[in-house]
Amino acid sequence: MLRTGEATELQGGLRVGPVEAGRWSSGKPPGVLRALAVFAAVRATGVVLLVLTDLNGGRPATRTLAHAWDAVWYLHIAEHGYGTREYLSTFGTVQTDFAFFPLFPLLTRGADAVLPGGAGPAALLVAWAAALAAAWGVYAVGHRLYGTATATFLVVLWALLPQAVVLTLAYSESLFAALAAWALYALLARNWWLAGALAVLAGLTRPTGLAVAAAVVVTAACELVRSRGRGRGPWVAALLAPAGWLGYVLWVGARTGDLLHGYFTVQDAWKSGLDLGVSSLRFLRVLFLYGGKVVYPVSVLLVAAAVVLFCLLCLDRSPRAALPLLVFSGVLVLMVLLLGGPFASKPRFVLPAFPLLIPVARTMARGWRRRRAQVLVVASALACAALPYGVWVAAVVKTPL
């Protein structure tokens, strides 16, 4: 049974009020199917718009969905393995496929082996299934801490983010978001073994798997302090959590002949190494002095919004059990700010940090009680702005997504 932090009430079929973390809850939480239906409708609309945009431009229907930017690398790894593709960048560096973590192309290869159509449809199937699993995880976390209303708006807002277009592409963000969301839920439920295992998988999916590992390690450490070191679960979770990320980093190092530095050399070739935000500051200076494409100032606004939302999340009177959400979101935002890489890609890097939307979701849940029409107008306006923008960035703009 869940322990209720305060009385809850029903408003328009949505339960309002926080629920403190307890043990793992069996079965689906109330209202999740409705939230998943809205999520699927929003993202399916985005898929239709992408297909129509490609067809209108004389391209194959799945050109953007399955073959845009990073998707090309993932498909090549799924079909041919690592160490088989290189690219001479405009910086004069040789970029290799070792920059891409293995779990998404591995699952794509598995799906391709049993399904017809090739690696492209297989990758889309993996990405779309993971997106639904991620939305379910987002809802489960929101419902456990804040109730049905906040959880529903949390899923809706996450689906409507401009950068959420990548959830429907052959990218690894949807898989990473699913693993992160369920790892956070496992931490809230104190299911240490599952949290550690999911952190391992997240670390095999994206470099930002470190954020999941940090959430597990910090939460486990706090539990060990509270229990004076008793209990095997927190120890196991803390030791397991970084193993996926560390294992891949060392494997790349071994393959490149430099065990400790090989992976970071690979990332440096992509200009994605740790530079403490120097490249971002240079980019902002150039943008301020000379201007640039619309996608650049919008990207700056989205990253700045993530920073502001994290501050609001810290100030929010959240349940004490929300510590892993704060750690995960904070580390992810910090990595986005301190690592290099194309600035236009940074909004999608912060996409999995769904807890940042909790303060806004809680506000909309409260507004649903008395100002339902206004809330619907705001959500509709966000959809009308975000969906076309996401399609434009993915299928039209010649800027790395």
Side-chain angles (χ1 to χ4, degrees):
M1 297 293 292
L2 297 177
R3 297 192 298 273
T4 304
E6 64 182 61
T8 59
E9 57 182 318
L10 289 173
Q11 295 290 344
L14 301 180
R15 185 167 57 78
V16 181
V19 179
E20 291 290 346
R23 65 171 183 258
W24 187 274
S25 178
S26 60
K28 61 180 182 293
V32 65
L33 295 182
R34 172 174 48 199
L36 289 179
V38 175
F39 175 85
V42 171
R43 295 317 328 154
T45 302
V47 169
V48 171
L49 292 176
L50 279 172
V51 170
L52 292 177
T53 301
D54 277 338
L55 292 176
N56 185 63
R59 299 181 293 268
T62 60
R63 168 62 179 81
T64 299
L65 289 170
H67 301 279
W69 299 105
D70 290 1
V72 174
W73 290 86
Y74 284 123
L75 294 183
H76 189 87
I77 294 169
E79 294 175 323
H80 305 288
Y82 281 98
T84 59
R85 191 170 194 265
E86 295 180 348
Y87 176 75
L88 181 61
S89 72
T90 55
F91 309 113
T93 59
V94 178
Q95 299 172 338
T96 69
D97 48 20
F98 290 118
F100 297 88
F101 279 54
L103 187 56
F104 182 76
L106 180 63
L107 293 177
T108 298
R109 174 178 289 186
D112 185 27
V114 297
L115 297 174
L124 289 178
L125 177 63
V126 172
W128 292 354
L132 284 174
W136 192 318
V138 170
Y139 184 91
V141 170
H143 182 271
R144 193 170 197 105
L145 292 177
Y146 302 104
T148 304
T150 297
T152 301
F153 283 110
L154 187 60
V155 171
V156 172
L157 288 170
W158 192 60
L160 289 176
L161 288 176
Q163 63 269 40
V165 64
V166 299
L167 296 175
T168 51
L169 306 184
Y171 271 51
S172 61
E173 264 75 17
S174 57
L175 178 60
F176 176 72
L179 294 168
W182 285 107
L184 293 175
Y185 184 82
L187 287 174
L188 295 177
R190 295 303 186 261
N191 191 327
W192 299 108
W193 290 74
L194 181 59
L198 291 172
V200 171
L201 295 176
L204 289 170
T205 305
R206 291 198 57 77
T208 45
L210 277 178
V212 182
V216 173
V217 170
V218 171
T219 307
C222 290
E223 178 66 19
L224 289 170
V225 170
R226 187 193 65 81
S227 64
R228 298 183 179 180
R230 292 190 297 271
R232 186 170 54 181
W235 287 106
V236 171
L239 292 174
L240 272 180
W245 183 89
L246 185 61
Y248 181 69
V249 167
L250 293 177
W251 180 81
V252 172
R255 286 289 301 270
T256 57
D258 187 350
L259 183 64
L260 298 181
H261 304 99
Y263 167 78
F264 303 101
T265 301
V266 168
Q267 290 292 353
D268 286 340
W270 289 80
K271 301 297 180 181
S272 297
L274 177 66
D275 65 1
L276 302 180
V278 172
S279 62
S280 295
L281 292 176
R282 289 174 178 168
F283 166 80
L284 292 175
R285 178 179 178 274
V286 171
L287 181 64
F288 178 77
L289 292 177
Y290 306 106
K293 300 177 182 178
V294 174
V295 67
Y296 293 134
V298 172
S299 298
V300 172
L301 289 175
L302 290 173
V303 172
V307 175
V308 172
L309 288 171
F310 177 71
C311 295
L312 292 177
L313 183 64
C314 293
L315 295 173
D316 192 37
R317 297 181 62 184
S318 302
R320 184 175 59 184
L323 172 65
L325 278 64
L326 288 171
V327 175
F328 169 69
S329 301
V331 172
L332 196 53
V333 170
L334 197 62
M335 292 181 72
V336 167
L337 294 176
L338 299 184
L339 294 176
F343 204 96
S345 299
K346 289 184 179 292
R348 76 172 169 92
F349 296 158
V350 81
L351 173 65
F354 68 90
L356 297 176
L357 299 170
I358 285 176
V360 182
R362 295 187 70 188
T363 299
M364 296 184 74
R366 289 191 292 266
W368 186 254
R369 305 179 189 183
R370 298 179 181 177
R371 297 183 295 275
R372 190 170 306 178
Q374 289 89 328
V375 172
L376 290 174
V377 168
V378 171
S380 300
L382 181 59
C384 291
L387 286 174
Y389 176 79
V391 171
W392 178 69
V393 170
V396 179
V397 177
K398 304 300 181 183
T399 303
L401 177 61

